[in-house]
Amino acid sequence: MDLDPEGLFRDDSDSESEFYREKDSTKEFVVYLVDASPKMFGAARSDEDEKPETHFHAAINCISQSLMAQIIGRSYDEVAVCFFNTKEKKNLQDLNGVYVFNVMDRECLDRPTARLIKELSYVEDRFMSNIGSRYGIVSGSRENSLYNALWVAQALLRKGSAKSVSKRILLFTNEDDPFGSITGATKTDMIRMTLQRAKDTQDLGISIELLPLSWPDEEFNVSIFYAELLGLEGDDISQFLPSAGEILEDMTDQLRKRMFKKRKVKTIRFSIANDICIEVNTYALIRPTSPGQIMWLDSVTNLPLKTERSFICADTGALVQEPHTYFHPYKNEIIKFSMDELSKIKNISDGQLHLLGFKPLDCLKDYHNLRPSTFIFPTDEEIVGSTRIFIALHRSMLRFQRFALAFYGSLYHPQLVALVAQDEITSSSGQVEPPGMHMIYLPYSDDIRHVEELHMAVDANAPRATDDQIKKASALSRRIDLKDFSVCQFANPALQRHYGILQALALGEDEMPEIKDETLPDEEGLSR
Amino acid sequence: MARNKEAVVLLLDVGPSMHSVLSEVESVCSMLVQKKLIFGKSDEVGVVLLGTDDTCNELQKEVGGYEHIVVLRNISVVDGNAVDFLQNLPRGNFRGDFIDAIVVGIDLLIKKFGPTNKGKQRICLMTDARYPIKAPYEGTKEDQVNTISQMMQTHGIRLDCIVIREKLPEADLRVMEENDNLLDQFSRKAIAKIVHVDSSTSLLGALKTRNISPVTVFRGDLELSSTMKIKVWVYKKTSEEKFPTLKKYSDKAPSSDKFATYEVKVDYEYKSMEDPDKVVPPEQRIRGYRYGPQVVPISSAEWEAVKFKPEKGVKLLGFTDASNILRHYYMKDVYIFVPEPGNKKAIVAVSAIARAMKDMNKSAILRCVWRQGQGNVVIGVLRPNISSVDNIPDSFYFNVLPFVEDVREFQFPSFSSFPSSWQPNEQQQEAADNLVKMLDLAPSSKEVLQPDYTPNPVLEKKKSSKRAWRGKPSTFSEKEEGVDGEASDIQSSNLMKDSSNINVEKIGNLNPVQDFEAMMARRDSSKWVSKAIKDMQNHVSDLLENSYDGDAYSKAIECLVALRKGCILEQEPKEFNRYLLGLYEKWKDTDLANFFELLSSKSLTLISQKEASDSNVTEEEAKNFPVKTELKF
């Protein structure tokens, strides 16, 4: 049962579930492989009066945030957290220098639980005493902690078929030259072994992604070793941007963004003219997050209940099979529709996006909106040349400040859409707005209401503000100007509260957490 | 139901100058009734025609005058007959007087409803207002309009007026100006809205088919600060019109049962997992909330005690540069904030802030809790909406912005990072530039396919409306015909070729087909389509006339094919059919007769209804051309 209790998060209009629920065909298994060498615990920022921030802390921070998002959103994905370059060892293979972090009631690779998130966020406090940090690759020893770590991670990801599950290893480290401390044949040998290990892992369908942390004065050099391990070549290396940055927060931000795996909604054809068709992927970058499913339980046993539907004829009270015919009264008659007919009526289009033409941006009014937008980005996978045509159009649209009007023949919502070209915007914390086009769903005349006409002043002009009054209003707006306002700077207080309560109850805590509502205006600030 | 009940009187001008658009008027009006049959079954509709040959209305009988006005249908609840009436409007041969017609319409409404039903009565006038109205017996025309407006106001009757003027060949501009002024006077003195349309597509959207009594989402203070407040009402401005919900059908009721509902009720039962036969009573059920793999049981009472309970209110957080909020962050359909009706202080305050925001290019950020007990808050953006109509106050539009949880910050590669083989070259970029410039849907402020005038094809489900969104697009996609499917270099060069002749003004001898297509594609003025057709017809006639022993036939056929295609696309089948028949009549008995044999062998024939709905040639007749030519046009 998919119910929203008490309409808690439902708004005035009901929403179409197909649109809001992202198709999640693939589950994801992720192993977070975190370097725990002493270098990771070095102060990444040397503020004298503040507690030094470490790269290790940044990594844990990112992982915690990501797990938090996961437990809310895609709770069927499974994760494992694994440290390497540790003093203690804990892994099925009994390899040195690798510690698989876990909590009770949970397998090593499993869905994140409230306890995992909570204990992980405290792991630093007692890391040194419980797990310990040391360099795993040192001269004079044949130990290879990186090799071991990859092996353990690969073993953790053994379950599930690579076809139905996407498997990833996310490697956090600030050491761009892991074999720098050793020399000679041992070094060549160990590098060769490690690379082979990585290749074997990748051959099994597991992708390895590197999340490098750099020092303010010393950029992570991916070409020393990791380029080869990741299989980067030529251009790729120069494109691989190490998350450099003066500020650790920016770096955390970049890492957090990079940890997301892009999930597309679908691939659609975009027909530009009769015979020119390109392909684009659509992404749901902005969708309201709902508080998740609820289910009915038996309050005595706390076990889930099974819901059964039965259909009853309103006229005779007879129990009937689920009907496949629908009806609507029309002209004093009853018009019946079969399921087939219904789908035909609704389906007047082919699922493609058809370009109709272009309009200046100011033709897109503030009231031309119905639902959250969808992002589109070209793909050359099926139709070669898609990206090229898309880029050319994108550039022209930006140049002439036009948006494209198109007809999107989606099955559920055949609709006119505006395609607004967005230029890439970057900041010190990486990409802020990706390059591409945003598809904005336009209303039809049926959807627009002329409410303002309800209260027309009859036989008199509506009062307007005088220039003087406008000037005063301008002064007011200058006084309460939010200079650095960025969209989505607020957390949803209702969701935060919801999950705060659930987390507390899931962990058996008595105290209900206090959640600060950041959305309340700063009354003190305003009165100034 | 009854709250939303509405009465509409359609005043339709069927005078001679309207004949060219009457079929569109027929389809849009019958659509209105059909929609009412689905969405508003208890709505009432009356139909009055003006410009008819006959006269039939009560006012004429009672006081005289009011000629050439026929009450086709008295105000009554919508039914199937109304559709039939509207699909077969008679053509009149007289100039109707729209002011008279409005009076007849008001008379119908007053006689039917008297002082009741205020605010739910509407008169909908469709005319081209091209002919002068009669001068009143006393006073000026303006005085007459004032009196009528007064009457409409006392009885709570609204006027929607759609002025349709497609082309203006020999119209009297002075008369039209006078008429427009009179109509505008209605919009100042009464609750009236005048819309001018110049194409049948816009006509479809201009007629408001449904009148929804709007409900406020919020009434109360817009709090600028704890001491500064403006009284506002908030409504939905856009809201998606859904396909009506269908009911599940049960055939169990006996056919003799006249009161059968045929409905099916759905019952839910909750059963225990271990014992599938045991039904768990509602009081023994408890909600389980998922948290990762765990399910946390919480009773309603517990939840009520701890859940987030914000105070009702709409608070301003501050202003920010409009450019800070990109358009694609709008999350929902749109709300409108109007100042409390009748509250002058509120109207002025909203006006001042809206105009200041507009001048400074600012948006405002609000935190809204629409009603007490709502379990969440909304953060959103407020935008100024400066009224363009004198008697409508300024207002704001509002849209919801995402919270941090609602945004997925996926990273995408920069376009500049793509290999050069994926980058457009200079020529391709120029082609794209030309495409964007050429496919201009808003040339010199004449925007087509405006959301406000484009109806939903699924809701209409009518052939006519399908044309509405297809009409324009298909013409230009055709223009790029011949472009190779493989999406690579070649296309762009083809685009180039096409775009190089944007400004073709006449059909030359060198590339007549291309010139024709380019002219048909011109969007800067509607005259180009008719000019292109005319020129092409002349060109073909010239070719044939100067043809010696059939040497120009293949060229002529090429041109005819293009002309035919163009006429189908532009919905001008009659132009083509008339021309082809004319050719045939002119030359069937000359030595050019074999040209027509060639035509039929190439199955180049008349345009049938199947290809263009405006044609009155059946598929059969088209197939038989030129054998059977006794068709008359």
Side-chain angles (χ1 to χ4, degrees):
Chain A
M1 278 283 294
D2 190 7
L3 276 182
D4 182 10
E6 304 143 37
L8 186 60
F9 283 81
R10 206 180 303 140
D11 229 307
D12 311 273
S13 67
D14 48 350
S15 49
E16 241 93 301
S17 49
E18 299 109 356
F19 179 72
Y20 290 100
R21 199 165 307 144
E22 210 167 30
K23 260 184 230 142
D24 242 352
S25 49
T26 48
K27 247 204 309 196
E28 200 176 271
F29 290 172
V30 180
V31 175
Y32 296 107
L33 207 52
V34 185
D35 190 349
S37 73
K39 192 174 175 184
M40 286 289 282
F41 289 92
R45 189 174 57 186
S46 45
D47 263 356
E48 277 163 25
D49 40 335
E50 274 177 57
K51 201 175 112 192
E53 294 260 10
T54 66
H55 281 148
F56 186 80
H57 176 79
I60 294 297
N61 220 344
C62 289
I63 295 168
S64 297
Q65 281 183 36
S66 154
L67 290 180
M68 203 64 177
Q70 238 177 68
I71 202 166
I72 298 174
R74 301 182 296 273
S75 57
Y76 289 95
D77 291 350
E78 299 186 10
V79 298
V81 180
C82 178
F83 300 110
F84 67 103
N85 289 332
T86 53
K87 271 192 196 120
E88 300 298 318
K89 65 177 169 183
K90 188 179 151 206
N91 58 74
L92 283 175
Q93 292 72 23
D94 206 35
L95 295 167
N96 280 331
V98 182
Y99 189 97
V100 178
F101 178 80
N102 203 6
V103 294
M104 58 185 194
D105 298 330
R106 194 181 170 277
E107 289 181 33
C108 290
L109 180 80
D110 205 344
R111 290 155 68 185
T113 62
R115 187 165 304 280
L116 179 77
I117 294 174
K118 183 151 192 184
E119 292 198 10
L120 184 68
S121 59
Y122 294 130
V123 74
E124 274 169 280
D125 299 352
R126 283 182 299 155
F127 195 87
M128 290 310 163
S129 54
N130 289 355
I131 302 172
S133 161
R134 70 178 174 131
Y135 289 105
I137 303 165
V138 284
S139 58
S141 135
R142 293 205 57 89
E143 277 303 331
N144 183 344
S145 56
L146 182 59
Y147 175 91
N148 290 351
L150 287 172
W151 193 350
V152 169
Q154 182 201 318
L156 282 168
L157 288 169
R158 197 167 284 152
K159 83 172 178 188
S161 126
K163 270 182 200 148
S164 57
V165 183
S166 126
K167 299 180 180 182
R168 305 199 290 158
I169 296 173
L170 296 187
L171 179 65
F172 292 82
T173 182
N174 61 357
E175 178 57 83
D176 53 11
D177 188 11
F179 302 98
S181 56
I182 47 175
T183 48
T186 332
K187 178 174 181 171
T188 349
D189 211 35
M190 278 168 71
I191 288 179
R192 190 185 45 77
M193 268 174 63
T194 312
L195 291 177
Q196 188 56 45
R197 178 86 262 152
K199 193 176 171 302
D200 290 349
T201 308
Q202 284 157 331
D203 286 348
L204 287 170
I206 299 170
S207 72
I208 303 177
E209 286 161 46
L210 178 68
L211 296 155
L213 297 124
S214 330
W215 298 92
D217 48 349
E218 182 192 338
E219 207 172 74
F220 191 99
N221 187 350
V222 73
S223 45
I224 295 179
F225 168 74
Y226 278 103
E228 209 178 341
L229 182 133
L230 299 170
L232 298 179
E233 277 168 20
D235 274 355
D236 297 345
I237 297 180
S238 54
Q239 276 168 46
F240 188 90
L241 284 176
S243 38
E246 299 292 311
I247 313 165
L248 196 64
E249 280 86 58
D250 281 353
M251 196 151 66
T252 320
D253 236 23
Q254 283 179 44
L255 287 181
R256 196 170 45 80
K257 288 178 189 170
R258 221 181 284 178
M259 277 162 57
F260 281 123
K261 191 181 160 68
K262 281 203 290 273
R263 295 188 193 221
K264 68 176 183 201
V265 179
K266 59 163 134 185
T267 304
I268 54 173
R269 293 265 162 120
F270 180 14
S271 135
I272 306 226
N274 243 10
D275 292 314
I276 308 177
C277 211
I278 65 170
E279 265 193 341
V280 292
N281 285 333
T282 63
Y283 298 87
L285 298 190
I286 300 163
R287 288 294 179 271
T289 304
S290 68
Q293 294 183 338
I294 76 137
M295 54 204 300
W296 286 104
L297 308 176
D298 184 335
S299 60
V300 179
T301 59
N302 275 349
L303 285 173
L305 295 173
K306 215 166 61 184
T307 314
E308 275 181 13
R309 280 195 305 178
S310 51
F311 300 91
I312 297 160
C313 169
D315 295 319
T316 59
L319 210 61
V320 294
Q321 291 286 308
E322 176 166 10
H324 291 289
T325 313
Y326 291 79
F327 76 98
H328 190 82
Y330 178 78
K331 291 192 193 180
N332 308 324
E333 283 169 54
I334 280 196
I335 312 287
K336 286 186 256 177
F337 300 93
S338 70
M339 291 294 233
D340 272 0
E341 285 165 337
L342 276 181
S343 57
K344 267 183 210 146
I345 291 174
K346 292 193 179 178
N347 184 2
I348 60 158
S349 56
D350 51 3
Q352 292 194 6
L353 192 59
H354 297 268
L355 178 69
L356 303 182
F358 300 90
K359 290 184 180 183
L361 281 172
D362 59 10
C363 287
L364 182 62
K365 306 290 185 210
D366 278 308
Y367 64 92
H368 292 163
N369 209 72
L370 287 177
R371 281 176 282 144
S373 59
T374 295
F375 182 71
I376 65 176
F377 196 84
T379 167
D380 266 27
E381 216 159 279
E382 289 274 329
I383 301 181
V384 176
S386 291
T387 307
R388 176 190 293 204
I389 291 179
F390 189 93
I391 293 177
L393 270 184
H394 182 262
R395 210 177 277 165
S396 304
M397 283 159 68
L398 286 173
R399 185 177 302 164
F400 299 113
Q401 308 213 335
R402 303 263 152 164
F403 71 87
L405 187 75
F407 182 77
Y408 180 37
S410 105
L411 290 183
Y412 304 107
H413 276 285
Q415 199 150 38
L416 284 175
V417 295
L419 302 176
V420 179
Q422 176 63 54
D423 210 359
E424 184 177 20
I425 300 177
T426 51
S427 76
S428 57
S429 64
Q431 194 174 58
V432 182
E433 291 292 336
M437 294 188 199
H438 290 279
M439 183 153 90
I440 288 162
Y441 299 86
L442 300 176
Y444 285 114
S445 60
D446 319 64
D447 308 324
I448 298 174
R449 300 177 177 181
H450 299 273
V451 246
E452 55 274 43
E453 292 164 15
L454 281 177
H455 308 295
M456 263 192 239
V458 170
D459 208 8
N461 285 349
R464 299 274 190 251
T466 61
D467 286 349
D468 194 41
Q469 287 162 326
I470 297 173
K471 232 179 245 155
K472 280 185 185 143
S474 308
L476 170 84
S477 85
R478 261 188 291 268
R479 262 212 322 276
I480 29 182
D481 195 57
L482 306 169
K483 246 183 215 74
D484 311 316
F485 180 81
S486 89
V487 174
C488 66
Q489 70 181 28
F490 296 113
N492 184 345
L495 264 189
Q496 292 297 324
R497 175 69 149 254
H498 181 92
Y499 287 108
I501 293 167
L502 288 188
Q503 189 182 16
L505 290 171
L507 294 171
E509 289 170 359
D510 295 331
E511 285 284 292
M512 282 297 147
E514 267 313 302
I515 303 289
K516 190 176 167 263
D517 182 357
E518 323 166 318
T519 63
L520 274 168
D522 172 14
E523 297 281 353
E524 271 171 48
L526 283 182
S527 56
R528 255 183 278 128
Chain B
M1 199 74 172
R3 212 166 67 89
N4 267 329
K5 199 172 103 171
E6 186 205 32
V8 185
V9 176
L10 296 168
L11 304 181
L12 310 175
D13 191 342
V14 296
S17 58
M18 286 287 287
H19 288 185
S20 58
V21 292
L22 267 189
S23 60
E24 300 293 345
V25 171
E26 280 173 348
S27 68
V28 72
C29 290
S30 40
M31 192 181 79
L32 169 117
V33 174
Q34 279 166 336
K35 278 183 88 173
K36 284 196 177 296
L37 281 168
I38 294 174
F39 291 104
K41 279 170 296 189
S42 44
D43 284 2
E44 303 186 69
V45 175
V47 183
V48 176
L49 306 180
L50 57 147
T52 49
D53 302 354
D54 310 327
T55 303
C56 175
N57 63 73
E58 289 190 11
L59 280 179
Q60 189 248 342
K61 288 170 203 153
E62 289 164 10
V63 299
Y66 299 99
E67 286 102 356
H68 305 299
I69 294 176
V70 168
V71 176
L72 192 67
R73 178 193 151 95
N74 259 311
I75 301 170
S76 54
V77 174
V78 285
D79 54 33
N81 290 339
V83 182
D84 300 338
F85 271 136
L86 289 167
Q87 273 167 348
N88 300 293
L89 293 176
R91 269 57 177 166
N93 294 306
F94 288 83
R95 298 174 169 192
D97 182 321
F98 62 86
I99 297 288
D100 277 0
I102 291 174
V103 176
V104 170
I106 293 171
D107 181 57
L108 282 181
L109 285 167
I110 294 177
K111 280 181 179 148
K112 171 98 188 178
F113 298 106
T116 63
N117 218 29
K118 267 188 196 162
K120 289 165 192 163
Q121 308 176 59
R122 186 154 67 106
I123 290 177
C124 187
L125 170 68
M126 285 195 224
T127 179
D128 56 1
R130 187 178 285 181
Y131 303 122
I133 62 160
K134 291 189 293 287
Y137 295 121
E138 47 193 67
T140 60
K141 291 175 181 177
E142 283 76 16
D143 296 340
Q144 199 187 3
V145 168
N146 280 348
T147 321
I148 298 170
S149 303
Q150 192 60 45
M151 191 151 56
M152 289 174 61
Q153 223 181 298
T154 22
H155 286 91
I157 299 170
R158 304 169 55 97
L159 173 71
D160 280 344
C161 176
I162 303 178
V163 182
I164 313 158
R165 290 190 188 129
E166 281 203 301
K167 289 158 205 149
L168 301 166
E170 60 282 325
D172 188 335
L173 286 173
R174 203 183 44 80
V175 172
M176 291 199 303
E177 200 175 315
E178 184 192 10
N179 285 341
D180 289 354
N181 282 336
L182 288 175
L183 287 170
D184 283 344
Q185 202 183 329
F186 273 111
S187 67
R188 286 191 301 271
K189 300 287 178 185
I191 306 171
K193 187 182 178 189
I194 318 296
V195 183
H196 288 257
V197 299
D198 54 8
S199 76
S200 41
T201 310
S202 318
L203 179 62
L204 275 173
L207 181 64
K208 259 191 289 169
T209 47
R210 234 185 126 192
N211 216 13
I212 297 165
S213 305
V215 185
T216 46
V217 177
F218 172 85
R219 290 184 192 194
D221 293 330
L222 166 58
E223 299 171 39
L224 303 180
S225 72
S226 49
T227 51
M228 221 187 304
K229 295 169 184 179
I230 307 175
K231 290 255 179 257
V232 292
W233 288 12
V234 180
Y235 293 96
K236 276 282 174 78
K237 172 68 187 170
T238 62
S239 178
E240 199 163 329
E241 193 87 337
K242 301 270 169 57
F243 197 70
T245 332
L246 299 170
K247 294 173 177 142
K248 289 194 171 70
Y249 179 76
S250 158
D251 55 3
K252 287 284 183 289
S255 52
S256 58
D257 186 353
K258 287 215 171 58
F259 301 102
T261 60
Y262 304 103
E263 287 177 27
V264 174
K265 285 192 287 194
V266 185
D267 219 28
Y268 290 96
E269 276 183 344
Y270 299 90
K271 293 185 174 167
S272 134
M273 284 288 198
E274 310 105 72
D275 183 4
D277 293 328
K278 198 182 132 206
V279 175
V280 178
E283 62 275 12
Q284 202 189 315
R285 293 200 311 251
I286 188 167
R287 288 194 181 86
Y289 294 81
R290 280 186 187 285
Y291 193 67
Q294 282 164 281
V295 177
V296 183
I298 308 176
S299 73
S300 312
E302 279 177 287
W303 191 250
E304 199 56 40
V306 294
K307 75 169 193 190
F308 183 62
K309 290 184 286 267
E311 283 293 310
K312 172 183 171 176
V314 171
K315 295 180 197 298
L316 173 79
L317 300 186
F319 295 90
T320 187
D321 288 340
S323 58
N324 255 345
I325 293 150
L326 295 167
R327 187 61 174 68
H328 60 263
Y329 284 109
Y330 288 14
M331 294 272 282
K332 280 195 69 164
D333 37 18
V334 185
Y335 299 89
I336 183 166
F337 280 52
V338 297
E340 187 178 66
N343 181 339
K344 197 165 171 193
K345 257 171 75 186
I347 296 174
V348 172
V350 167
S351 172
I353 294 173
R355 283 167 193 256
M357 281 164 71
K358 176 99 181 168
D359 291 348
M360 300 163 72
N361 210 6
K362 293 278 180 188
S363 293
I365 306 299
L366 301 188
R367 172 198 194 264
C368 307
V369 180
W370 305 120
R371 47 180 195 273
Q372 198 59 45
Q374 180 180 318
N376 59 353
V377 299
V378 165
I379 293 288
V381 56
L382 196 70
R383 302 276 302 140
N385 174 33
I386 308 299
S387 172
S388 57
V389 184
D390 282 341
N391 56 355
I392 295 180
D394 293 333
S395 52
F396 296 113
Y397 292 129
F398 176 81
N399 212 307
V400 175
L401 293 175
F403 285 112
V404 71
E405 295 90 343
D406 304 333
V407 178
R408 262 154 281 187
E409 294 170 297
F410 292 159
Q411 304 285 288
F412 289 85
S414 303
F415 286 159
S416 55
S417 73
F418 283 137
S420 60
S421 63
W422 287 15
Q423 305 286 351
N425 62 30
E426 220 170 280
Q427 203 186 19
Q428 289 160 337
Q429 189 60 54
E430 201 181 324
D433 284 358
N434 284 331
L435 185 76
V436 172
K437 277 190 278 188
M438 197 170 53
L439 300 186
D440 189 355
L441 297 176
S444 54
S445 74
K446 256 196 63 194
E447 187 187 351
V448 298
L449 283 168
Q450 276 187 62
D452 306 60
Y453 296 113
T454 312
N456 184 343
V458 180
L459 289 173
E460 312 300 322
K461 272 193 307 160
K462 296 284 294 174
K463 189 172 58 185
S464 52
S465 59
K466 212 164 170 187
R467 257 180 66 196
W469 56 264
R470 265 199 56 234
K472 297 295 171 188
S474 50
T475 48
F476 64 70
S477 38
E478 201 56 37
K479 174 172 46 63
E480 277 152 21
E481 217 219 7
V483 173
D484 206 295
E486 199 198 82
S488 62
D489 303 22
I490 22 171
Q491 311 179 327
S492 317
S493 55
N494 266 313
L495 288 178
M496 285 284 291
K497 191 183 73 198
D498 279 327
S499 48
S500 60
N501 44 27
I502 311 173
N503 286 325
V504 177
E505 293 192 3
K506 64 180 187 26
I507 289 177
N509 289 329
L510 215 56
N511 289 313
V513 172
Q514 271 172 23
D515 292 351
F516 171 73
E517 283 172 353
M519 257 167 96
M520 293 289 273
R522 280 189 72 163
R523 287 278 163 263
D524 46 348
S525 160
S526 54
K527 72 176 184 187
W528 295 113
V529 169
S530 52
K531 186 170 190 309
I533 293 175
K534 194 91 239 127
D535 285 3
M536 196 58 164
Q537 290 174 345
N538 291 339
H539 184 74
V540 174
S541 298
D542 283 353
L543 279 174
L544 289 175
E545 248 168 59
N546 300 327
S547 151
Y548 176 70
D549 207 4
D551 61 352
Y553 282 4
S554 62
K555 254 198 165 156
I557 282 181
E558 251 182 62
C559 293
L560 268 179
V561 168
L563 178 63
R564 189 171 189 278
K565 192 190 266 166
C567 285
I568 294 175
L569 284 169
E570 288 294 346
Q571 296 288 337
E572 299 279 10
K574 288 179 182 167
E575 276 292 341
F576 180 81
N577 289 350
R578 198 180 301 130
Y579 174 69
L580 189 59
L581 284 168
L583 273 189
Y584 183 70
E585 285 302 321
K586 194 170 167 191
W587 282 318
K588 65 178 174 184
D589 297 317
T590 68
D591 54 355
L592 284 170
N594 55 351
F595 177 66
F596 296 101
E597 285 167 31
L598 191 64
L599 281 192
S600 49
S601 75
K602 303 238 177 221
S603 43
L604 191 73
T605 173
L606 299 172
I607 296 172
S608 71
Q609 274 160 351
K610 207 179 157 197
E611 293 164 278
S613 56
D614 278 359
S615 163
N616 34 20
V617 175
T618 65
E619 223 184 326
E620 193 61 32
E621 286 164 342
K623 221 160 63 191
N624 289 336
F625 177 83
V627 186
K628 278 190 189 163
T629 49
E630 50 285 345
L631 299 157
K632 284 285 161 277
F633 286 89

